[in-house]
Amino acid sequence: MIQNPVFTIKKFDFDSNLVSEFNNLHYVKDLWPIVYILSDGNINEAYVGETTDAYARMSSHLKNNIKSKLSAVHLISSEKFNKSATLDIESNLIKYISGDGQYKLINGNIGLANHNYYQKKEVYWDIFKSIWDNLRSVGIAKHPIDYIDNSDLFKYSPYKTLTSEQKSGLLVIMKNLLDNTYKNIIIEGGAGTGKTILAIFLFKLLNTTNEDFNFEEFGDDEYEFMEIVFELKRKYPNPKMALVVPMSSFRTTLKKVFKNIKGLSASMVIGPAEIVKDTFDIVIVDESHRLRRRVNLGAYFRAFDVVCEKLNLDKNTCNELDWVMKQSESAVYFYDENQSIKPSDVKKEDFDKLKICSLTKTEYLKSQFRSKGGNNYVNYITNLLNCKLTTADAIFSSKEYEFILFDSIEDLVSEIKARDIQNGLSRLVAGYSWPWMTNKKDAKQDYDIEIENTRLKWNSTNIDWVNSVNSRDEVGCIHTTQGYDLNYTGIIFGNEITYDKESNEIRVLKENYYDVNGKQSIVNPEELKDFILNIYKTIMLRGIRGTYVYVCDKNLREYFSQFMPKFKTEKETILLEETEVIPYENSIPLYDLKAAAGNFSDLQTVEDCEWIALPKTYKPSTDLFACKVVGESMNRIIPNGSVCMFRKYTGGSRDGKIVLVEHTSIQDPDFGSGYTVKEYRSKKKNKDELWSHESITLKSLSDDSEFQDIILEEDELSSLKVIGVFECVLF
């Protein structure tokens, strides 16, 4: 049993003796709302639920053919729980257990979620985080929440609440699948409109038994959804479905996602050529603008011709779009003409012909969900690249999104790496303006891109590069990033793109564009320009939190500088005058470690200490503070003399995080007696189902091997106090 001051997690065997074991639990007897997790470590499956009648719910689950195969139940109870809180905790557990990847969930969908209630953010999110940390200690969960937030399993999970527009889109798709009038459904939507999530949700919906699917998710449309889903399942009781993904890298990622979802399998995600192997009731094509025709296919020419021959189609006139139509009873195409990036892509004209066909229905997704800049940012980018902005237009500005122009490539690289340490999934991406030299067997250099004094290397893998080990130190291209979400994108505009001041238009220089298959066969320079602009627009819409830009061409850089805020080389984090300070709104306290004893837990006033400006990327919080970190013991992450921002430690797992700690026996010469900044590592021991720390290691992260880790044994731990958790280097 895990006993926390706020909640209790108690484990039981999930068998016929379970109900009798509830006799001593007043939460169960008195019909309190509780949350529970059924699980089995052998088959790695789990089910998450909430109830006010645990007796009845567990009895029902024990009679269920699928759930009765599970072997353990963890009951999560608390005097602070109410019905809204347990629904919310259930919803979060479903999302995060699915994203964690340790268990496949039997749940049909997320159920009720995203509703607001009293103290949801102020109290219950912290309770959930503590519950999650405790579930990690008993092996139900594996990864920390911030890790899961950046994982593909989480981002593409069907256990998420759909937006109202996505629900409407889903309803339209299902109605059209029922209507025998239509064979083809085209869903148009720009980058970040949630097309992939919608596709996966539909797969999960049609491959889940009705009893496990919670239709309350759909609010006022609940009964309409139920009726349509039941009718669809009568039409397709065991649907043969395929998700066609043209790009191999993104296809590999979605195979991993499908493999981890109960009822789905990796084999459902296929490349276009695999569709020849069978016919399907329903085919969904994600990124259908990347389906190909017989142009500039390189090594793929032979495979393309073989499929055409098997399908009895003319290889010179058909394309992969024709393959899908021939092999499917119904097909759904998620399409965005502005993400077509090379001559081998199926022509817009072919999709236009399909749209006007009497067997085709076209629908639209308009809201942008990926970027926190929203539709305003998308429109701004479109107008910027099409030279439709004037000096009368305001420079793009958003509290939720960073859009910044850099004059120094070194600063761009440094800031993206800092964002990656801070938020994860922050990558450099460039236009194809440099040849890929390092992939050659006889490569004579270990870099591909040289700008100013900075040397960079193209992506060392084409498969799931975004998540690969070396990606932080490499540069991706459109082919390794299309379809992916990033937190921050650092974009390098190469020398294949420039700006003509006299005509006020962007031009491209074909000789500086090194994607051979991306320019062969193109006669009209405007066609190449459209492809290259589509590439840059697509990668400029990858970032959830921000887009940083460096431009090689002088004229284009000057043009962009009229409409983009510039990176301030003088650090934003500076001391504020006393009259400027609004504590914890525009500023945070800057402590002198040698004089800070006892002050960290108290809110400071203007007179108490020096104040520095709060970085724009952070929401104001009384938990944030800064101090100077001196010495070389952490120089792999924190340069000597840096001013760093920390967040006050209020509970939860610290393992693997960089922390500021206080201990009476620490004699760190860099900081003076009592304080140090190190990476926290713990060794735990279990006794009578309770765990405790056996030792704590405060680990140096230095290029200098002379720095030793600080190890605190069991008898020294009572004096250890974690003051704050490292957020980022400020300057």
Side-chain angles (χ1 to χ4, degrees):
M1 180 175 73
I2 293 176
Q3 191 75 44
N4 183 283
V6 178
F7 59 86
T8 299
I9 302 177
K10 191 168 180 61
K11 180 183 178 182
F12 299 90
D13 291 332
F14 188 57
D15 56 25
S16 57
N17 298 318
L18 175 63
V19 175
S20 62
E21 293 186 48
F22 283 173
N23 289 333
N24 296 323
L25 299 177
H26 79 275
Y27 292 106
V28 175
K29 290 193 296 182
D30 298 338
L31 301 180
W32 277 75
I34 63 170
V35 185
Y36 60 91
I37 304 169
L38 306 178
S39 63
D40 187 283
N42 292 319
I43 59 175
N44 292 328
E45 291 186 356
Y47 179 88
V48 179
E50 65 81 38
T51 184
T52 54
D53 190 346
Y55 279 114
R57 185 63 59 85
M58 294 303 138
S59 297
S60 174
H61 288 332
L62 284 167
K63 295 174 185 176
N64 182 280
N65 290 333
I66 297 175
K67 299 185 184 77
S68 63
K69 295 177 182 177
L70 304 178
S71 59
V73 57
H74 286 81
L75 288 187
I76 307 170
S77 55
S78 170
E79 292 182 356
K80 288 185 175 291
F81 283 179
N82 53 57
K83 187 66 173 179
S84 291
T86 54
L87 285 169
D88 190 39
I89 291 169
E90 174 204 31
S91 166
N92 281 321
L93 283 174
I94 291 172
K95 285 191 292 187
Y96 281 98
I97 288 176
S98 170
D100 188 46
Q102 183 152 269
Y103 287 94
K104 284 187 178 181
L105 285 177
I106 295 173
N107 296 70
N109 69 327
I110 193 173
L112 291 171
N114 270 6
H115 60 292
N116 288 313
Y117 59 92
Y118 181 60
Q119 292 189 320
K120 175 179 180 177
K121 293 181 179 178
E122 296 83 352
V123 174
Y124 287 98
W125 175 243
D126 285 336
I127 289 176
F128 172 74
K129 289 192 291 185
S130 294
I131 290 172
W132 186 260
D133 287 336
N134 282 279
L135 290 174
R136 290 179 69 192
S137 74
V138 297
I140 292 294
K142 182 178 180 181
H143 298 101
I145 284 175
D146 56 353
Y147 173 92
I148 296 171
D149 283 336
N150 284 326
S151 72
D152 291 323
L153 291 181
F154 183 76
K155 289 180 179 178
Y156 300 112
S157 168
Y159 297 104
K160 286 189 174 182
T161 300
L162 298 179
T163 66
S164 57
E165 186 174 7
Q166 286 174 319
K167 290 174 186 175
S168 298
L170 180 62
L171 190 59
V172 165
I173 292 171
M174 292 193 300
K175 284 180 177 178
N176 289 326
L177 287 173
L178 283 174
D179 188 345
N180 294 324
T181 305
Y182 301 113
K183 176 180 170 60
N184 306 297
I185 305 164
I186 297 177
I187 307 296
E188 291 208 57
T193 49
K195 300 184 292 295
T196 304
I197 288 291
L198 199 52
I200 296 173
F201 196 98
L202 184 59
F203 264 83
K204 179 63 176 171
L205 178 65
L206 294 180
N207 289 276
T208 298
T209 58
N210 294 332
E211 66 180 33
D212 283 326
F213 202 92
N214 191 335
F215 291 95
E216 293 179 32
E217 152 87 18
F218 300 101
D220 295 338
D221 299 321
E222 176 185 348
Y223 294 106
E224 183 180 12
F225 265 91
M226 287 178 64
E227 184 179 339
I228 291 175
V229 169
F230 292 165
E231 196 173 341
L232 258 179
K233 291 187 175 182
R234 285 192 291 270
K235 182 177 180 180
Y236 302 111
N238 294 293
K240 289 176 63 177
M241 299 179 67
L243 178 63
V244 174
V245 183
M247 301 100 70
S248 61
S249 177
F250 193 43
R251 185 164 65 244
T252 300
T253 296
L254 292 186
K255 278 181 176 290
K256 294 176 184 176
V257 173
F258 270 56
K259 183 180 179 181
N260 197 61
I261 299 172
K262 179 72 174 177
L264 307 185
S265 67
S267 62
M268 290 178 167
V269 183
I270 64 174
E274 294 175 87
I275 203 166
V276 72
K277 297 177 181 178
D278 208 340
T279 57
F280 298 89
D281 297 318
I282 301 171
V283 173
I284 300 177
V285 186
D286 198 12
E287 309 279 351
S288 62
H289 37 269
R290 297 305 319 279
L291 292 172
R292 287 164 291 189
R293 60 194 182 104
R294 199 178 188 275
V295 175
N296 295 6
L297 294 180
Y300 184 58
F301 266 119
R302 175 58 185 158
F304 184 93
D305 293 349
V306 168
V307 174
C308 293
E309 185 178 348
K310 288 182 178 179
L311 295 178
N312 198 27
L313 294 170
D314 185 344
K315 66 182 182 182
N316 296 307
T317 58
C318 79
N319 54 47
E320 291 177 342
L321 181 60
D322 296 314
W323 301 357
V324 174
M325 287 191 283
K326 185 160 186 176
Q327 296 297 94
S328 60
E329 180 181 330
S330 295
V332 181
Y333 305 91
F334 290 101
Y335 177 67
D336 178 13
E337 65 182 68
N338 292 316
Q339 290 194 63
S340 176
I341 60 165
K342 58 199 306 185
S344 57
D345 294 345
V346 172
K347 288 184 175 181
K348 175 182 178 296
E349 290 83 350
D350 291 313
F351 278 98
D352 289 340
K353 289 177 184 176
L354 184 61
K355 289 178 189 177
I356 63 175
C357 173
S358 60
L359 298 176
T360 302
K361 184 71 178 290
T362 303
E363 299 291 342
Y364 302 89
L365 295 174
K366 296 179 181 178
S367 295
Q368 208 285 144
F369 305 118
R370 176 188 293 127
S371 164
K372 290 188 175 182
N375 288 340
N376 289 339
Y377 173 69
V378 176
N379 294 334
Y380 200 87
I381 291 300
T382 300
N383 290 331
L384 177 69
L385 294 179
N386 289 320
C387 300
K388 291 184 178 180
L389 297 174
T390 69
T391 52
D393 291 299
I395 289 179
F396 179 83
S397 177
S398 169
K399 292 181 179 179
E400 300 293 326
Y401 198 81
E402 287 188 272
F403 183 45
I404 300 174
L405 180 65
F406 285 71
D407 286 331
S408 162
I409 186 66
E410 186 178 353
D411 285 340
L412 174 73
V413 173
S414 175
E415 287 298 306
I416 283 294
K417 288 186 176 182
R419 295 294 81 75
D420 190 64
I421 293 170
Q422 176 185 329
N423 302 289
L425 280 182
S426 300
R427 300 288 181 265
L428 292 169
V429 186
Y432 217 143
S433 186
W434 295 269
W436 190 7
M437 304 300 294
T438 55
N439 73 327
K440 300 181 183 301
K441 291 182 179 179
D442 58 345
K444 297 179 180 179
Q445 59 190 43
D446 60 358
Y447 65 93
D448 300 292
I449 300 168
E450 186 168 15
I451 304 171
E452 299 168 1
N453 295 318
T454 298
R455 290 176 172 178
L456 302 165
K457 181 180 178 181
W458 280 121
N459 47 271
S460 55
T461 178
N462 289 324
I463 303 301
D464 200 22
W465 170 77
V466 162
N467 298 302
S468 66
V469 175
N470 299 319
S471 55
R472 184 194 291 180
D473 299 312
E474 297 175 345
V475 181
C477 63
I478 181 64
H479 306 305
T480 52
T481 54
Q482 191 168 21
Y484 287 91
D485 292 346
L486 297 171
N487 285 321
Y488 285 85
T489 314
I491 299 174
I492 304 171
F493 278 72
N495 289 305
E496 88 285 22
I497 186 168
T498 185
Y499 174 73
D500 188 319
K501 297 180 182 179
E502 294 185 4
S503 62
N504 183 34
E505 64 177 329
I506 286 177
R507 297 188 183 279
V508 299
L509 305 173
K510 186 175 182 179
E511 64 273 18
N512 292 337
Y513 185 55
Y514 286 92
D515 188 349
V516 177
N517 291 328
K519 67 180 181 179
Q520 269 183 351
S521 77
I522 293 180
V523 177
N524 183 355
E526 287 301 309
E527 183 182 1
L528 180 61
K529 175 182 172 179
D530 287 342
F531 283 135
I532 291 176
L533 287 182
N534 281 354
I535 287 171
Y536 279 111
K537 181 177 180 181
T538 298
I539 59 179
M540 290 178 88
L541 298 178
R542 295 298 98 196
I544 297 170
R545 299 169 181 246
T547 298
Y548 297 164
V549 174
Y550 175 84
V551 182
C552 292
D553 181 81
K554 178 176 177 291
N555 290 339
L556 186 63
R557 189 187 315 137
E558 289 178 358
Y559 165 66
F560 277 10
S561 67
Q562 300 176 70
F563 307 108
M564 292 180 62
K566 297 185 74 173
F567 176 71
K568 298 177 182 178
T569 51
E570 69 278 10
K571 300 297 182 180
E572 287 185 325
T573 313
I574 57 175
L575 287 173
L576 295 179
E577 296 293 334
E578 189 171 310
T579 55
E580 299 177 294
V581 173
I582 307 176
Y584 305 108
E585 289 189 25
N586 70 344
S587 53
I588 58 175
L590 172 63
Y591 293 116
D592 178 349
L593 274 183
K594 295 179 181 178
N599 292 336
F600 291 107
S601 60
D602 301 323
L603 293 182
Q604 305 297 308
T605 63
V606 174
E607 296 80 16
D608 290 332
C609 59
E610 293 183 307
W611 293 81
I612 57 176
L614 175 69
K616 293 179 181 178
T617 52
Y618 282 83
K619 292 182 179 180
S621 172
T622 55
D623 287 339
L624 295 174
F625 66 91
C627 60
K628 190 172 185 178
V629 177
V630 295
E632 300 292 343
S633 66
M634 294 293 289
N635 64 18
R636 282 161 50 194
I637 303 294
I638 303 173
N640 183 9
S642 299
V643 170
C644 298
M645 185 163 67
F646 294 83
R647 188 177 298 273
K648 291 178 184 176
Y649 176 69
T650 56
S653 175
R654 302 163 292 195
D655 208 31
K657 295 180 179 179
I658 296 172
V659 293
L660 167 64
V661 299
E662 179 183 14
H663 194 283
T664 54
S665 67
I666 290 177
Q667 300 292 328
D668 191 327
D670 286 340
F671 298 99
S673 178
Y675 294 101
T676 190
V677 174
K678 296 288 185 290
E679 184 179 84
Y680 184 103
R681 294 288 183 180
S682 66
K683 184 177 180 181
K684 299 182 177 70
K685 64 178 181 179
N686 289 294
K687 184 178 181 181
D688 299 329
E689 295 189 353
L690 295 175
W691 63 266
S692 61
H693 291 295
E694 183 176 326
S695 65
I696 299 293
T697 298
L698 301 175
K699 187 177 181 60
S700 295
L701 299 177
S702 177
D703 291 328
D704 187 341
S705 59
E706 291 187 6
F707 284 95
Q708 300 296 310
D709 298 340
I710 300 172
I711 300 175
L712 302 174
E713 300 297 343
E714 191 172 4
D715 58 347
E716 300 176 288
L717 298 183
S718 60
S719 299
L720 178 71
K721 183 178 181 181
V722 177
I723 304 296
V725 178
F726 172 75
E727 287 284 331
C728 65
V729 173
L730 294 176
F731 63 90

